[in-house]
Amino acid sequence: GAPGDVNSNVLVARSTGDAQLDKAVWQWLSWDKNQKTKEQIESLLQSGKHKELRDRLCCRLTFGTAGLRSAMGAGFCYINDLTVIQSTQGIYKYLERNFSDFKQRGFVVGYDTRGQVTSNCSSKKLAKLTAAVLLAKDVLVYFFSTYVPTPFVPYAVQQLGAVAGVMITASHNRKEDNGYKVYWENGAQITSPHDKEIIKCIEECVEPWNGSWNENLVDTSPLRQDPLKKICDSYMEDLTKICYHRELNVQTSLKFVHTSFHGVGHDYVQLAFKAFGFQPPIPVPEQKDPDPDFSTVKCPNPEEGESVLELSLRLAEKENAKVVVATDPDADRLAVAEQQENGCWKVFTGNELAALFGWWMFSRWKENCSQDADVRNVYMLATTVSSKILRAIALKEGFHFEETLPGFKWIGSRVKNLLDNGKEVLFAFEESIGFMCGTSVLDKDGVSAAVVIAEMATYLQGQSLTLAQKLVDIYETYGYHISKTSYFLCYDPPTIKRIFERLRNFDGPQSYPSCCGIYNILHVRDITTGYDSSQLNKKSVLPVSKSSQMITFTFQNGCVATLRTSGTEPKIKYYAEMCALPGHSDRSVLEEELQKLIEALVENFLEPDKNGLTWRSA
């Protein structure tokens, strides 16, 4: 048969000697209509690369902390036209079971600017195929006519009363990756049991339906609507609910630089600044337009700090701008840098920014609330691997602080629950620079965070303070919280498993370590198994999460440290924090103690040399 022809003789002649693999190859070549990815599988088959074929075809995508995420390319565990069609068919099936009015209420589809020429794969094309599957089944689809920030999808789901939505993005991952992020009708990312149920539904209908490949349906179907203008206008108007000092913003002399990291953020951050009364921030010209290759940075993750912020810091110096805001490629996270008196730049960590946001959102609430407002009705949230600074502020000010599992999907669902019960939620965050200011969007949002930081800096300038000075002031008031987060790369899943199993059987079977080097351990909490030594019944209060590894140690010296696997990348991450009470603050002593403890943790528990782990290149 001709190349791309499914001629059974050719396939039998090229049998791999493995029935499961033969079936998977046959399915792929029968179903995939994307020539480029089809050819990738054919050429692997022809050159007898059975191991790689098995890696690509004999496993499926699963939902991690941010939905489905993988490299673009051919195979059932990669992101490509076929797996996106399959995932959407499964979602269609699941929603049809759960909502009688699914077709009328509709479904939202958004996308970023990623792409890969060699697989003829782009976020927009994957979004068109997502829409096609649903339009072919007579579902109303709100398909954005251009790329949008990730937070626009959950926002649109709520505004338009849709049953769910999908954002095609891999956020700040490397350029080879893409992803499929699913939001439920409540505007929060899906959590269990929905994710498990959707995976089941995907497996029930893996063969593409008639019409699923028709990506032109978004241009021809009367059931397709473009929500762009309505959602953008409405979002910018809602944003002004958390604008408190418009008159200061209008006349400030402060200048801001914004980089959108070759992603979607530029237009939307410009509009947000305008909504707050600011002059538009100065864009970094080389990074303001979408570029799927992220040409000017080694990785498109603003968390990596000064090395990836180079262009924006140089521009700021040239323009005499004191504050730089950086949104990641899908604009759901925010990095901030501020020039200090000595001319050096301070790049804030996610935990430091959270201290500033927490102070700001609470003090604005206090200044603007009605006489009879009850502080006990007010909440802030953070994921359990994030700084406990909000807990310290909450204890002193009288509002509530709650923790969730890592991943903003848990925060979104919990916030919705609190709002439905008449509570007021001011702020939530995760340490990996994800912030939610206000509750218009139940997910992290870099667009709103950027403009809130600008207003905060403007207000502080009026008090002759910088962000960095205010941060010290917050620590002096509520107690120093010094934290450090980093990671090791490990591409071998069995090694990762072995590291964590060793910790569970450290001093013998089923016994966790009682010390780490010279540091005594008070409590151990293992989210993977649901064990918590600090609870009377030894059971963790946070829900068990069997699919990922995560153990937290509380030390006698007040340090809390967590080891966990990443939900989106081949990493073992560690998080450690020293919390001091107000007035017990010698910062350098705390920093030194934390550093020594981390060294002990890495040496004793992760054993990087023995396990062949690569430390994040500093």
Side-chain angles (χ1 to χ4, degrees):
D5 224 30
V6 182
N7 179 321
S8 52
N9 301 338
V10 177
L11 286 173
V12 171
R14 298 192 211 141
S15 165
T16 62
D18 168 341
Q20 186 202 4
L21 183 54
D22 282 351
K23 182 184 172 190
V25 169
W26 181 84
Q27 286 180 330
W28 190 273
L29 296 179
S30 322
W31 296 342
D32 189 9
K33 289 192 180 175
N34 175 327
Q35 273 325 110
K36 293 253 171 105
T37 44
K38 192 168 183 171
E39 281 160 15
Q40 286 172 26
I41 296 299
E42 280 177 339
S43 94
L44 288 171
L45 185 61
Q46 269 158 352
S47 49
K49 298 205 166 133
H50 296 171
K51 184 188 178 317
E52 188 175 341
L53 275 174
R54 208 168 279 120
D55 289 344
R56 285 180 176 268
L57 295 171
C58 293
C59 60
R60 285 208 161 278
L61 293 167
T62 54
F63 283 95
T65 43
L68 307 172
R69 208 178 270 186
S70 185
M72 290 179 271
F76 289 119
C77 57
Y78 283 65
I79 297 277
N80 50 62
D81 297 5
L82 180 53
T83 52
V84 161
I85 286 172
Q86 291 177 325
S87 303
T88 309
Q89 290 183 171
I91 282 174
Y92 169 81
K93 211 161 181 176
Y94 186 60
L95 292 172
E96 196 191 27
R97 273 181 210 165
N98 277 279
F99 298 97
S100 54
D101 53 357
F102 168 32
K103 293 183 175 181
Q104 295 76 46
R105 284 175 59 190
F107 189 96
V108 176
V109 181
Y111 50 93
D112 69 9
T113 54
R114 287 176 174 263
Q116 185 179 69
V117 178
T118 51
S119 302
N120 184 16
C121 181
S122 71
S123 294
K124 184 165 194 172
K125 184 183 179 201
L126 297 175
K128 283 182 163 186
L129 290 167
T130 301
V133 171
L134 300 167
L135 290 167
K137 290 284 186 189
D138 300 324
V139 177
L140 168 64
V141 174
Y142 297 101
F143 179 90
F144 284 101
S145 53
T146 186
Y147 54 82
V148 289
T150 292
F152 273 38
V153 170
Y155 180 74
V157 168
Q158 283 196 294
Q159 287 294 308
L160 302 166
V163 294
V166 158
M167 175 72 186
I168 307 288
T169 180
S171 193
H172 55 278
N173 276 38
R174 57 191 197 131
K175 67 170 188 267
E176 290 78 10
D177 291 354
N178 216 328
Y180 186 97
K181 211 166 184 177
V182 186
Y183 293 89
W184 201 240
E185 63 169 342
N186 61 3
Q189 272 185 70
I190 57 164
T191 52
S192 44
H194 296 308
D195 48 8
K196 310 269 186 302
E197 294 297 321
I198 289 171
I199 294 282
K200 269 190 216 153
C201 288
I202 293 172
E203 282 162 3
E204 285 167 23
C205 42
V206 282
E207 184 168 350
W209 300 329
N210 288 345
S212 286
W213 282 97
N214 185 359
E215 62 179 279
N216 298 329
L217 273 180
V218 292
D219 304 313
T220 57
S221 169
L223 286 171
R224 180 266 171 141
Q225 289 189 20
D226 176 12
L228 184 67
K229 185 172 175 358
K230 180 181 172 178
I231 290 304
C232 198
D233 292 350
S234 167
Y235 173 93
M236 295 303 159
E237 181 159 337
D238 268 347
L239 200 50
T240 58
K241 291 178 187 164
I242 51 174
C243 175
Y244 297 100
H245 301 282
R246 200 188 162 86
E247 65 302 330
L248 296 179
N249 304 344
V250 170
Q251 44 183 309
T252 184
S253 59
L254 262 185
K255 294 200 320 192
F256 300 94
V257 160
H258 170 237
T259 171
S260 42
F261 263 75
H262 298 298
V264 306
H266 173 76
D267 297 339
Y268 302 99
V269 170
Q270 296 271 316
L271 287 169
F273 269 67
K274 192 173 147 196
F276 266 50
F278 284 109
Q279 289 297 306
I282 303 159
V284 177
E286 304 91 325
Q287 296 176 337
K288 89 174 176 57
D289 298 318
D291 167 13
D293 290 321
F294 305 113
S295 314
T296 66
V297 288
K298 72 172 200 302
C299 73
N301 185 356
E303 258 185 293
E304 297 288 337
E306 206 154 338
S307 61
V308 290
L309 294 172
E310 184 69 30
L311 285 171
S312 39
L313 302 182
R314 298 300 78 84
L315 177 65
E317 286 164 0
K318 200 178 99 197
E319 296 282 354
N320 195 23
K322 293 291 178 220
V323 177
V324 168
V325 287
T327 47
D328 71 340
D330 66 329
D332 65 346
R333 302 175 338 136
L334 179 78
V336 180
E338 180 186 53
Q339 195 173 28
Q340 305 305 295
E341 309 275 292
N342 63 4
C344 294
W345 287 88
K346 175 174 173 63
V347 181
F348 294 91
T349 66
N351 285 332
E352 290 173 330
L353 288 172
L356 287 162
F357 279 123
W359 156 75
W360 177 253
M361 295 306 284
F362 182 72
S363 60
R364 295 314 84 197
W365 177 85
K366 209 165 153 180
E367 211 161 277
N368 294 281
C369 66
S370 58
Q371 297 279 244
D372 56 351
D374 185 354
V375 70
R376 290 170 304 187
N377 206 38
V378 170
Y379 281 74
M380 290 193 194
L381 290 85
T383 61
T384 183
V385 292
S386 303
S387 171
K388 311 285 181 250
I389 184 66
L390 295 185
R391 184 179 65 188
I393 300 176
L395 279 170
K396 199 158 175 167
E397 301 294 347
F399 63 89
H400 287 273
F401 167 70
E402 280 193 10
E403 279 192 339
T404 70
L405 287 173
F408 233 91
K409 59 182 185 180
W410 299 105
I411 287 184
S413 305
R414 180 62 186 143
V415 168
K416 181 75 176 91
N417 189 277
L418 288 166
L419 295 174
D420 290 346
N421 285 297
K423 309 296 183 197
E424 198 171 350
V425 180
L426 303 183
F427 173 66
F429 87 105
E430 62 183 4
E431 57 70 41
S432 50
I433 60 175
F435 309 105
M436 184 193 93
C437 301
T439 51
S440 292
V441 175
L442 299 183
D443 201 6
K444 54 192 171 199
D445 182 352
V447 178
S448 56
V451 70
V452 169
I453 274 286
E455 179 169 83
M456 192 192 306
T458 301
Y459 171 87
L460 288 169
Q461 190 200 28
Q463 307 198 322
S464 312
L465 285 171
T466 62
L467 293 167
Q469 287 165 335
K470 184 65 209 179
L471 180 64
V472 170
D473 181 44
I474 293 167
Y475 285 143
E476 297 287 344
T477 309
Y478 300 106
Y480 270 91
H481 285 61
I482 314 283
S483 55
K484 186 157 164 49
T485 299
S486 191
Y487 59 80
F488 287 88
L489 290 165
C490 180
Y491 295 94
D492 182 48
T495 300
I496 295 183
K497 201 166 162 52
R498 201 169 60 240
I499 290 171
F500 282 90
E501 282 308 319
R502 175 174 166 261
L503 294 173
R504 295 188 177 104
N505 304 285
F506 199 78
D507 299 323
Q510 261 114 58
S511 81
Y512 293 86
S514 53
C515 61
C516 176
I518 58 168
Y519 298 99
N520 285 334
I521 295 171
L522 274 184
H523 295 300
V524 179
R525 181 187 64 196
D526 187 341
I527 291 289
T528 314
T529 62
Y531 171 79
D532 186 344
S533 68
S534 71
Q535 299 296 317
L536 280 172
N537 63 0
K538 304 294 178 212
K539 282 191 171 51
S540 162
V541 179
L542 289 173
V544 183
S545 184
K546 286 195 184 69
S547 56
S548 59
Q549 301 283 356
M550 178 165 144
I551 303 177
T552 301
F553 302 95
T554 304
F555 291 89
Q556 209 152 15
N557 66 0
C559 179
V560 178
T562 294
L563 301 175
R564 72 179 273 259
T565 47
S566 164
T568 53
E569 296 164 294
K571 292 175 177 177
I572 300 177
K573 297 186 169 184
Y574 66 78
Y575 309 79
E577 180 169 53
M578 294 288 293
C579 308
L581 293 167
H584 291 256
S585 305
D586 183 342
R587 183 167 185 145
S588 53
V589 173
L590 286 172
E591 277 174 346
E592 199 178 322
E593 178 91 339
L594 182 66
Q595 194 48 45
K596 288 201 295 218
L597 192 136
I598 287 171
E599 282 163 19
L601 193 73
V602 168
E603 213 31 65
N604 291 287
F605 289 177
L606 293 179
E607 307 181 296
D609 300 341
K610 185 180 135 188
N611 290 311
L613 309 179
T614 329
W615 203 345
R616 169 193 164 202
S617 49

